[in-house]
Amino acid sequence: MSVVLVLGLLMNAIILPIAGKRVFFLFKLITSGQPAPDRVEGVTSRIGSSIKTQVVEVFGQKSSSSGPSRALHTSSSSGHS
């Protein structure tokens, strides 16, 4: 059991600095851009329609787990349906 503990601590000691460096890089990248308050204002002014559009697009899709779609059957070149 102590081998597993030491191995886990060693892996954390290696991975955490790498992850921290990546988070710091992403933070610098995000904060280096110009502020865009008009973009945020444009999004917040139409939040209701944006949510409705997302719901329609996500839940309006047909399930792909129920088998092949009809589009695959209707696009055959043989002319049979």
Side-chain angles (χ1 to χ4, degrees):
M1 183 165 153
S2 62
V3 174
V4 174
L5 178 64
V6 170
L7 189 60
L9 290 173
L10 183 63
M11 288 181 0
N12 276 321
I14 294 170
I15 296 299
L16 286 177
I18 295 170
K21 185 177 178 183
R22 181 65 178 169
V23 167
F24 183 66
F25 167 76
L26 290 173
F27 175 76
K28 285 192 328 183
L29 182 67
I30 291 168
T31 57
S32 69
Q34 297 270 338
D38 54 328
R39 182 183 65 84
V40 174
E41 183 180 306
V43 170
T44 56
S45 66
R46 57 182 168 79
I47 192 77
S49 64
S50 295
I51 291 174
K52 180 183 176 201
T53 302
Q54 287 296 320
V55 168
V56 167
E57 287 179 1
V58 170
F59 292 115
Q61 296 175 359
K62 294 186 184 229
S63 173
S64 62
S65 63
S66 63
S69 67
R70 290 183 69 66
L72 293 175
H73 295 295
T74 58
S75 64
S76 66
S77 61
S78 65
H80 298 101
S81 17

